[in-house]
Amino acid sequence: MALDFLKRIFNPNNVTIALDDIQALILRSRPVPYYGTVAVFEINDATQAKLILKELLPIITSAKDWHKNEGASVTLTFTYKGLEKIGLPKDSLDSFPEAFREGMAKRAPFLNDVGVNDPKYWEKDFKNATIHIAAAVIANSEEHWKTKLQEFRAKFSNNKGLKLLKSHDFGATEEVKNVFGFRDGISNPEIEGSGIDTPPGFDRPLKTGEFVLGYPGEGDITKPYPQPDILGKNGSFLIFRKYQSQVADFNKYIQENSRNPQEGELLAAKMVGRWRSGAPLVLSPDKDDKELGDDPHKNNAFSFKNDEFGKKCPFSSHIRRMNPRDSKTFVLEDERLHRIIRRSVTFGDIVPPDVTKDDGKERGQYFMGISANAMGTLEFLQKQWANDGNSQNLGTEKDPMIGVQDSEGLFTMPADPLVKRYRGLQTFNIVKGGEYCFIPSLSALRWISEL
Amino acid sequence: MSVLDNIKLTAELVKANFSEGIDDGYDHSTTSAGKKGLRSGRVSELTAIANLKPGGAENLKKIMEIANGNLKGATKVGTLHDLRIVLLDNDTKILFCTAYDGDWDAYIDDFATKIPQLMDIIFGNVEGWPGIKDPSVKQFILDHQITATGWYVGVPHLTVNDVRRNDKIITGLNKVIDDANKIEK
């Protein structure tokens, strides 16, 4: 069964955090296959919204039994404007980080959301920052999804306190691939105290405070968190970004810059850092290896330590930029500080590699990332690792997959006998909107509902 | 300054630039380096003045004497072009100036986990230094930072990494050239 491999090893003796107070999304992997809905709301009336919240409380799922990943889970998050509208006291509102209070669109200069990614081109709910609440129902079967979604909808069908702005169904079957046709979402950090047992050879779990508010993080530093304690502790932050994927442009670029399909596949893999199957270049540098890509025990068991010149996996490749895994560093950076837990979902269909003409259809990814320092982490990743090259010793070169390309559009690929330099890359994933959300603990949700 | 004085000064500067200056083709214009500080190309400046703790000046002098310019922690940071420590007002104050690549505030957390001792050994001599691991440290630095009035960088588009890489390339090229020119006897 496809599900079995995603069951991470759980040891109840390793649990040191309040799993039954933390929302499930933070710890539960995306099931395979998965079925789900994301919905965003505006609060019309705070009193009514609090009544709905009280009604919803029993079906919001906690992280207890996250390792079983059974049935459906319901997640509920608030934007800053949502917290303001529902009536959080001023000193609580002021205790949230500045970037969260400003919202993602306003932070564009700190996120390098410029050019085609400029918020002025975003979808209107994101551009105007009208979203107050974002919720998700995610399940491991169509049946569970439909039942839970119905239950969720029933809670506010007769109430005008919330206005549904947008809702989007999504899903993926056994093979979890993005619209470029690459297996996605393979690597996620584990959290200390969640009960995880990491096999030898795997990264040790990251300190709890990197992902859950109110606990010490790496370096044993407990960052300030929203106050009072009941509001902030056991919560976290969610990054939401909608990407439109320009797959035909990507395919066209690959075709025009390679002599034959094999060379094209290699170039595409070098940009990503993995082959279509998910097999990492470090473990299979010359050709795709489907068996390796399919094997969850092997497809993530590698580091860049023995690829010091990037001849297997380029420094500029997407996966090496986003998680340098023991790469030689050119700038003092702690790679354990800049991780996010990804819960992204794909929308739209896969475009085969031979299609080079855009059909104009919407397709891409709802990127969902979780971190206790989500805003700072996203700003760091966007500015230092995705849209610059100094950390990789590559000048101003950008991430070939998620960077906003300039007129040069450079991609450097170490090779023998001579390094290859590709020019004219376009922005293959365009941001169409995004927002920061607070993932309150279950007790915080109750506290908010009783304000 | 009156409009007339302003025009006169502008004219003098244009004239001096024209007769005495040259153009190297690089963009030397300055922008803001964030909340405070100036940036030219890839290189930013950070200038700060703060009071020293009693005995702080002595400690700093000793540290710099021992290091004798070999600040290995500064090398490890990888983005520092230079840094300067000047003691002011009878050793009661510190003037700290540095030229660095990119952003500093994005890296505070990395400093706190990677070089906490080095940071605190040097800046622990400053009155009110909260410690590199304290969440208020970014604000503390900002509170003492003064944006420069003038900022000029000779080669603004190259980072320390770029310079090191270029240096390696030239060393390698020169070796090839030297080998090719060697006269076998």
Side-chain angles (χ1 to χ4, degrees):
Chain A
M1 258 265 297
L3 262 176
D4 291 341
F5 71 74
L6 281 175
K7 282 194 182 146
R8 293 171 287 156
I9 309 154
F10 179 77
N11 179 351
N13 299 324
N14 290 353
V15 176
T16 57
I17 59 178
L19 293 178
D20 54 0
D21 196 35
I22 296 168
Q23 285 206 49
L25 185 76
I26 301 173
L27 279 160
R28 272 203 197 193
S29 314
R30 185 180 60 185
V32 184
Y34 65 89
Y35 300 84
T37 302
V38 270
V40 288
F41 303 88
E42 191 178 343
I43 299 171
N44 283 332
D45 178 276
T47 315
Q48 292 299 316
K50 278 184 267 190
L51 285 177
I52 299 173
L53 187 54
K54 272 201 187 94
E55 287 284 307
L56 279 171
L57 275 173
I59 65 163
I60 311 286
T61 322
S62 85
K64 190 168 173 281
D65 296 332
W66 56 266
H67 58 290
K68 292 182 186 155
N69 209 358
E70 284 168 347
S73 67
V74 180
T75 302
L76 197 78
T77 70
F78 285 84
T79 64
Y80 178 73
K81 289 208 168 154
L83 293 172
E84 208 175 32
K85 181 87 187 193
I86 209 160
L88 240 66
K90 187 172 180 303
D91 49 349
S92 280
L93 289 169
D94 291 347
S95 66
F96 280 85
E98 188 183 359
F100 178 73
R101 298 201 306 266
E102 291 188 347
M104 195 182 281
K106 271 217 182 112
R107 298 293 287 185
F110 299 90
L111 291 163
N112 202 60
D113 282 340
V114 297
V116 288
N117 285 0
D118 192 310
K120 69 182 178 202
Y121 305 122
W122 286 10
E123 289 172 8
K124 76 173 194 323
D125 290 325
F126 296 113
K127 184 165 62 184
N128 303 336
T130 47
I131 296 165
H132 291 157
I133 289 176
V137 177
I138 304 173
N140 60 0
S141 76
E142 200 169 354
E143 194 194 333
H144 282 133
W145 167 53
K146 284 190 168 156
T147 314
K148 194 55 89 180
L149 190 60
Q150 218 165 22
E151 211 182 321
F152 178 74
R153 282 187 179 143
K155 300 285 184 192
F156 50 87
S157 54
N158 296 318
N159 192 311
K160 298 275 182 286
L162 289 185
K163 179 181 152 198
L164 179 70
L165 297 173
K166 211 180 272 186
S167 149
H168 196 119
D169 297 339
F170 54 80
T173 49
E174 301 278 311
E175 276 202 285
V176 181
K177 292 198 162 184
N178 63 26
V179 292
F180 292 86
F182 282 75
R183 185 192 288 274
D184 200 8
I186 296 170
S187 172
N188 261 329
E190 297 290 358
I191 306 177
E192 192 179 288
S194 66
I196 192 74
D197 237 353
T198 29
F202 279 73
D203 267 1
R204 78 180 154 83
L206 289 156
K207 298 282 284 181
T208 316
E210 295 298 316
F211 301 104
V212 187
L213 294 164
Y215 296 87
E218 293 291 315
D220 282 320
I221 302 162
T222 304
K223 291 258 178 69
Y225 52 97
Q227 292 299 317
D229 222 57
I230 191 165
L231 174 67
K233 183 139 183 163
N234 292 324
S236 192
F237 288 99
L238 175 78
I239 299 158
F240 184 86
R241 270 160 96 77
K242 182 179 178 180
Y243 282 98
Q244 165 72 24
S245 299
Q246 306 294 105
V247 191
D249 291 348
F250 177 78
N251 291 343
K252 188 162 173 249
Y253 184 86
I254 297 294
Q255 267 192 24
E256 286 175 353
N257 288 279
S258 55
R259 277 168 294 199
N260 53 56
Q262 284 99 308
E263 209 181 274
E265 282 301 280
L266 179 67
L267 174 57
K270 292 275 188 181
M271 288 186 183
V272 173
R274 292 181 185 270
W275 298 92
R276 287 180 194 273
S277 72
L281 281 169
V282 165
L283 299 180
S284 183
D286 304 317
K287 56 178 191 334
D288 199 355
D289 181 344
K290 192 163 182 310
E291 207 179 307
L292 171 63
D294 285 343
D295 187 341
H297 299 290
K298 292 190 181 147
N299 68 13
N300 205 36
F302 69 94
S303 88
F304 297 114
K305 203 171 183 177
N306 297 318
D307 186 27
E308 57 174 327
F309 301 109
K311 286 193 179 168
K312 289 176 182 166
C313 186
F315 289 106
S316 205
S317 67
H318 176 61
I319 71 157
R320 190 159 184 168
R321 280 175 177 267
M322 292 298 109
N323 186 5
R325 305 177 190 229
D326 280 332
S327 287
K328 179 184 176 223
T329 51
F330 299 98
V331 169
L332 182 128
E333 282 161 347
D334 187 341
E335 60 185 54
R336 296 174 63 82
L337 285 179
H338 310 292
R339 300 294 308 278
I340 30 185
I341 295 172
R342 292 173 302 151
R343 300 283 182 250
S344 303
V345 292
T346 288
F347 64 91
D349 53 353
I350 295 175
V351 182
D354 58 326
V355 175
T356 54
K357 202 167 174 305
D358 188 13
D359 60 7
K361 275 195 205 161
E362 277 216 339
R363 60 170 65 81
Q365 194 170 64
Y366 290 115
F367 176 87
M368 289 189 262
I370 296 163
S371 159
N373 179 30
M375 289 68 64
T377 301
L378 185 67
E379 289 179 1
F380 181 93
L381 292 175
Q382 280 288 111
K383 281 205 88 167
Q384 316 301 332
W385 285 359
N387 288 295
D388 195 22
N390 199 43
S391 293
Q392 296 77 22
N393 199 13
L394 288 170
T396 55
E397 188 170 319
K398 293 153 182 67
D399 185 312
M401 301 312 293
I402 62 163
V404 190
Q405 298 299 333
D406 53 24
S407 54
E408 197 175 26
L410 190 65
F411 174 65
T412 303
M413 180 178 130
D416 281 320
L418 198 62
V419 59
K420 290 190 176 160
R421 281 156 58 87
Y422 294 91
R423 288 173 181 282
L425 264 74
Q426 292 167 48
T427 304
F428 296 125
N429 284 289
I430 299 173
V431 180
K432 287 292 172 192
E435 195 47 282
Y436 292 125
C437 302
F438 174 55
I439 315 174
S441 68
L442 298 190
S443 45
L445 286 171
R446 192 170 306 114
W447 182 79
I448 294 170
S449 79
E450 287 163 2
L451 279 174
Chain B
M1 192 182 282
S2 76
V3 178
L4 205 67
D5 285 343
N6 203 338
I7 292 172
K8 204 176 147 212
L9 192 59
T10 310
E12 275 172 14
L13 183 65
V14 168
K15 202 176 135 217
N17 256 339
F18 183 75
S19 59
E20 296 167 7
I22 57 160
D23 190 357
D24 58 9
Y26 302 151
D27 180 6
H28 293 271
S29 63
T30 56
T31 54
S32 170
K35 281 189 175 154
K36 282 186 178 170
L38 290 181
R39 176 176 304 188
S40 177
R42 304 275 275 162
V43 190
S44 310
E45 61 86 20
L46 187 154
T47 310
I49 295 181
N51 290 324
L52 285 170
K53 285 178 187 162
E58 289 312 306
N59 280 342
L60 282 169
K61 282 181 191 168
K62 198 80 209 159
I63 291 165
M64 295 307 146
E65 191 189 308
I66 298 166
N68 187 27
N70 290 304
L71 294 171
K72 291 190 175 164
T75 305
K76 189 174 169 185
V77 172
T79 54
L80 292 178
H81 289 258
D82 61 47
L83 67 82
R84 180 180 319 173
I85 288 168
V86 183
L87 301 176
L88 305 173
D89 293 352
N90 283 328
D91 290 359
T92 58
K93 283 191 170 112
I94 178 175
L95 164 67
F96 177 84
C97 310
T98 177
Y100 65 97
D101 299 318
D103 306 304
W104 66 263
D105 54 340
Y107 284 96
I108 279 287
D109 292 342
D110 301 73
F111 295 163
T113 62
K114 287 284 189 183
I115 49 167
Q117 294 176 34
L118 270 164
M119 293 296 288
D120 286 341
I121 282 173
I122 294 175
F123 295 105
N125 295 301
V126 172
E127 198 72 64
W129 174 254
I132 189 65
K133 293 196 175 196
D134 193 284
S136 69
V137 72
K138 261 192 208 183
Q139 193 56 47
F140 179 85
I141 297 169
L142 272 173
D143 289 345
H144 292 81
Q145 192 178 349
I146 306 163
T147 301
T149 304
W151 180 232
Y152 172 82
V153 182
V155 189
H157 65 297
L158 294 183
T159 64
V160 171
N161 277 334
D162 294 337
V163 174
R164 284 184 180 146
R165 189 174 64 251
N166 293 355
D167 184 42
K168 270 190 191 158
I169 293 170
I170 276 297
T171 308
L173 268 179
N174 282 342
K175 190 175 177 300
V176 174
I177 293 167
D178 291 346
D179 286 351
N181 285 336
K182 211 175 263 173
I183 300 166
E184 300 283 346
K185 275 191 179 167

